[in-house]
Amino acid sequence: MENRVVLTACIAEAESLRYTPAGLPAITLRLEHESQQTEAGHPREVKAAIKAVAFGAMAERLARQNIGSLWTFSGFLANPRNGKTPVLHIQDIQQN
């Protein structure tokens, strides 16, 4: 089964870099996306905000990026243990 997300978005919020109990760097972000998409043959303005997390070297890299900077994020969706809303787990980024 495939669970892959590619989203172009800006970093709207970023928490401070933290470390898991195992010593792995981690960061939580809020990403915001705006675009025009075609749905049922008609243009539609789309806005979305999504919570995202990254671990290891990717977390350290994201901690150095500016709020408002635009990136293409690649990763997968997963629900947190106590949550109902999926979170994007970032595996790769490319600057736009």
Side-chain angles (χ1 to χ4, degrees), residues 31-91:
L31 307 178
E32 292 183 348
H33 167 88
E34 287 187 40
S35 66
Q36 186 176 77
Q37 302 294 319
T38 302
E39 185 173 41
H42 299 283
R44 176 181 175 188
E45 294 295 321
V46 175
K47 291 184 180 184
I50 188 167
K51 184 176 178 181
V53 295
F55 297 94
M58 183 56 59
E60 293 174 326
R61 184 175 174 197
L62 284 164
R64 295 189 299 267
Q65 306 312 318
N66 294 325
I67 299 298
S69 58
L70 187 66
W71 297 86
T72 298
F73 298 90
S74 300
F76 62 91
L77 293 176
N79 284 356
R81 288 185 189 129
N82 299 333
K84 296 178 182 169
T85 305
V87 174
L88 175 61
H89 287 246
I90 300 168
Q91 297 176 303

Side-chain angles (χ1 to χ4, degrees), residues 17-27 54-57 59-60:
L17 187 68
R18 66 184 191 285
Y19 293 86
T20 68
L24 192 63
I27 193 166
F55 297 94
E60 293 174 326

